[in-house]
Amino acid sequence: MHRTVERMLRTNPEPPFAPADALSACIHACIETAQVCTACADACVGEHLPGRLDACIRLNLDCADICTATSRILSRQQNPDLAIVAMMIELCAAACDACARECDRHAEHHAHCQICAAACHRCFQACRSMMTGAPTDYLAH
Amino acid sequence: MHRTVERMLRTNPEPPFAPADALSACIHACIETAQVCTACADACVGEHLPGRLDACIRLNLDCADICTATSRILSRQQNPDLAIVAMMIELCAAACDACARECDRHAEHHAHCQICAAACHRCFQACRSMMTGAPTDYLAH
Amino acid sequence: MHRTVERMLRTNPEPPFAPADALSACIHACIETAQVCTACADACVGEHLPGRLDACIRLNLDCADICTATSRILSRQQNPDLAIVAMMIELCAAACDACARECDRHAEHHAHCQICAAACHRCFQACRSMMTGAPTDYLAH
Amino acid sequence: MHRTVERMLRTNPEPPFAPADALSACIHACIETAQVCTACADACVGEHLPGRLDACIRLNLDCADICTATSRILSRQQNPDLAIVAMMIELCAAACDACARECDRHAEHHAHCQICAAACHRCFQACRSMMTGAPTDYLAH
């Protein structure tokens, strides 16, 4: 799928606002994390541990919504408002970081939380690499 | 609908993180704006004015996605991560402000842009009132 | 908000595929139900009754996703594929009916389920009135 | 990513309602198609060919919303309402089929439509294989 994302970026009449490989990696990470968080929320409900996994369920649902919005916004190349795009990536990084930390606390007991923490961490890194550090600070404020 | 939103806030076992009237006004504004922006993007495509309304279409689509995510996140009361919630509202305010400004430029010629600019402006104000100013600075950093 | 939805329908360069009042009522019901179901899922998690409200949480989450998709698709007027639109409305009616029935089972003990059942029922009716019965069988197969 | 989707299915306390490999293939196809359709709508707007690609833009946007909803619903394993799930998959197949046909008409001139038609066709097939034919008719009515 990663390759399909990148091919779409390269066939848009408008060139992407950032190198296609970094951008497609970030889009891919966002949609993977949206799926994994949706599944992890469902699995956490099914564990029947009231109170224990509540914060995890909440962060999973929020993170899924934020990653979905981010993947859609990054998939568009026409007339981007780069200030909005930058805020979206920054929020996505923050949500993934928070969700990764919370899932990590339950990783020992629940394999779905372990997989979810890893996906969130990859997405956090992909977002960060869009925001900071030469040569990838495409969206520096 | 405004009243239904507020009744849901008041019947959750967890009290809302902000006064129910301000929060329900913000949720209501987000879902209204998501709908209006979705419709405005569609109408702008149908105007058949290539180039003229492209930035408007793009901002409408992004703003709809951001407002949808914001309305979902604000509708949850269990275990909120207030830093994430604050970033989401701030991004929603910024997207609505940008979309209102762009739509305003076409308001004279396109009634859908005029209605959309007004909805975006109301949502911007509702988000700002969640962020700043006593007694509503629930999410001050 | 109902009025804003209808004004958007009337200012689109393409007339709506169905009478604007019935269509705007259906769009309004969909976005109300998406919000209420999102809030009800969150409240049900917070009741800490493992097993008891699981089916309710699941139906709430599915119904919210279906209502969101339906509201977006009904908000577009350009070049509708009426077979797709009809299937979407039919699915939305089925999801709202299932969610209303499940929430109704918990309405006595949980006010959020009572409010949610009522919203789902209204949305079911709005979808049905788009599908069947003169003069509103706009999408008869 | 395909493997991550499947690992999530296998670590949920509730076994999936269908074989994990077919189900994860379908989820994967849905999220890929949602991304590709979002990107194709954007690229079509950017081609500046008013009238020519309007039906394509509309189907892309609808198909993206439907695939997103389908991917979320298939990612949940707790207490599925199989009638709702079946209708969702059937609608997703229909939307992907319609979008593939429309994009195919523009594939010669626009590479993004060619890639999108291929993704939609793969998703149509993945949905069909969930609906029909032994041993995969998990959701036969």
Side-chain angles (χ1 to χ4, degrees):
Chain A
M1 184 166 111
H2 194 123
R3 228 182 109 250
T4 304
V5 174
E6 191 166 339
R7 283 172 68 211
M8 288 304 289
L9 289 177
R10 293 189 191 284
T11 56
N12 194 300
E14 184 78 12
F17 68 88
D21 54 350
L23 184 51
S24 63
C26 193
I27 293 169
H28 185 271
C30 285
I31 57 185
E32 176 178 72
T33 305
Q35 194 276 327
V36 170
C37 283
T38 300
C40 193
D42 178 79
C44 285
V45 169
E47 296 292 354
H48 291 169
L49 294 166
R52 185 85 65 85
L53 295 171
D54 285 12
C56 200
I57 293 169
R58 168 65 196 258
L59 275 167
N60 276 322
L61 293 174
D62 285 7
C63 196
D65 290 335
I66 289 167
C67 286
T68 297
T70 308
S71 73
R72 284 170 165 251
I73 285 167
L74 292 182
S75 296
R76 300 182 186 118
Q77 289 166 250
Q78 299 291 321
N79 301 284
D81 180 320
L82 293 182
I84 302 295
V85 174
M87 287 175 82
M88 186 81 250
I89 296 176
E90 213 159 346
L91 169 55
C92 192
C96 288
D97 187 41
C99 198
R101 286 171 197 273
E102 179 62 31
C103 273
D104 220 28
R105 296 179 54 221
H106 313 288
E108 202 182 341
H109 298 97
H110 304 296
H112 47 81
C113 285
Q114 190 186 356
I115 301 166
C116 189
C120 287
H121 189 69
R122 284 195 297 275
C123 193
F124 166 74
Q125 296 283 16
C127 289
R128 290 315 297 167
S129 78
M130 291 291 291
M131 299 299 297
T132 59
T136 50
D137 49 340
Y138 318 116
L139 294 166
H141 298 264
Chain B
M1 184 166 111
H2 194 123
R3 228 182 110 249
T4 305
V5 174
E6 191 166 339
R7 283 171 68 211
M8 288 304 289
L9 290 176
R10 294 190 190 283
T11 55
N12 194 300
E14 184 79 11
F17 68 88
D21 54 349
L23 184 52
S24 64
C26 193
I27 293 170
H28 186 269
C30 286
I31 58 185
E32 176 180 71
T33 305
Q35 194 275 328
V36 171
C37 283
T38 300
C40 193
D42 179 78
C44 285
V45 169
E47 296 291 354
H48 291 168
L49 295 166
R52 186 86 65 85
L53 295 170
D54 285 13
C56 199
I57 293 169
R58 169 63 196 261
L59 275 166
N60 275 323
L61 294 172
D62 285 7
C63 195
D65 290 336
I66 288 166
C67 285
T68 298
T70 307
S71 73
R72 285 170 165 251
I73 285 167
L74 292 182
S75 296
R76 298 181 186 118
Q77 288 167 250
Q78 298 290 320
N79 301 284
D81 181 320
L82 292 182
I84 302 294
V85 173
M87 287 176 80
M88 186 80 251
I89 296 175
E90 214 160 348
L91 169 55
C92 192
C96 287
D97 186 41
C99 198
R101 286 171 196 274
E102 179 62 31
C103 274
D104 221 28
R105 295 180 54 222
H106 313 290
E108 202 184 339
H109 298 96
H110 303 298
H112 47 80
C113 285
Q114 190 186 356
I115 301 166
C116 190
C120 287
H121 189 69
R122 284 194 298 275
C123 194
F124 167 74
Q125 297 283 16
C127 289
R128 290 315 298 166
S129 79
M130 292 289 292
M131 299 298 298
T132 59
T136 50
D137 50 342
Y138 318 116
L139 295 165
H141 298 264
Chain C
M1 182 165 110
H2 195 123
R3 230 182 108 250
T4 305
V5 173
E6 192 166 339
R7 282 171 69 211
M8 287 305 289
L9 290 176
R10 294 190 191 283
T11 56
N12 194 301
E14 184 79 11
F17 68 88
D21 54 349
L23 184 52
S24 63
C26 194
I27 293 170
H28 185 269
C30 286
I31 56 184
E32 176 178 72
T33 305
Q35 194 275 328
V36 170
C37 283
T38 300
C40 193
D42 178 80
C44 285
V45 169
E47 296 291 353
H48 292 168
L49 295 166
R52 186 87 63 85
L53 295 170
D54 285 13
C56 199
I57 293 169
R58 169 63 195 261
L59 276 167
N60 275 322
L61 293 173
D62 285 7
C63 195
D65 289 336
I66 288 166
C67 286
T68 298
T70 308
S71 73
R72 284 170 166 252
I73 285 166
L74 292 182
S75 296
R76 298 181 186 119
Q77 289 166 250
Q78 298 291 320
N79 302 283
D81 180 319
L82 292 182
I84 303 293
V85 174
M87 288 175 80
M88 186 80 251
I89 296 175
E90 214 160 346
L91 169 55
C92 192
C96 287
D97 187 41
C99 198
R101 285 171 197 274
E102 179 62 31
C103 273
D104 221 28
R105 297 179 53 223
H106 313 289
E108 202 184 339
H109 297 97
H110 304 297
H112 48 81
C113 285
Q114 190 186 357
I115 302 166
C116 189
C120 287
H121 189 68
R122 284 194 297 274
C123 194
F124 167 74
Q125 296 284 17
C127 290
R128 290 316 297 167
S129 79
M130 292 289 292
M131 299 298 297
T132 60
T136 49
D137 51 341
Y138 318 115
L139 294 166
H141 298 264
Chain D
M1 183 166 110
H2 194 123
R3 230 182 107 251
T4 304
V5 174
E6 191 167 341
R7 284 171 68 211
M8 287 305 288
L9 289 176
R10 294 190 190 284
T11 56
N12 194 300
E14 184 78 13
F17 68 88
D21 53 350
L23 183 52
S24 63
C26 194
I27 293 170
H28 186 270
C30 286
I31 57 183
E32 176 179 72
T33 305
Q35 194 275 327
V36 170
C37 284
T38 300
C40 193
D42 178 79
C44 286
V45 170
E47 296 291 354
H48 291 168
L49 296 165
R52 185 86 64 83
L53 296 170
D54 285 12
C56 200
I57 293 169
R58 169 64 196 260
L59 276 167
N60 275 322
L61 293 173
D62 285 7
C63 196
D65 290 336
I66 289 167
C67 286
T68 297
T70 308
S71 73
R72 283 170 167 251
I73 286 166
L74 292 182
S75 296
R76 299 183 185 116
Q77 290 166 250
Q78 298 291 320
N79 301 284
D81 180 319
L82 292 182
I84 302 293
V85 174
M87 288 176 80
M88 186 81 251
I89 296 175
E90 213 159 347
L91 169 55
C92 192
C96 287
D97 188 40
C99 197
R101 286 171 197 274
E102 178 62 31
C103 273
D104 221 27
R105 296 179 53 223
H106 313 288
E108 203 183 338
H109 298 98
H110 303 297
H112 47 82
C113 284
Q114 191 186 357
I115 301 166
C116 189
C120 287
H121 189 69
R122 285 195 296 277
C123 193
F124 167 74
Q125 297 283 17
C127 289
R128 290 315 298 166
S129 79
M130 291 290 292
M131 298 298 297
T132 60
T136 49
D137 50 341
Y138 317 116
L139 295 166
H141 297 265

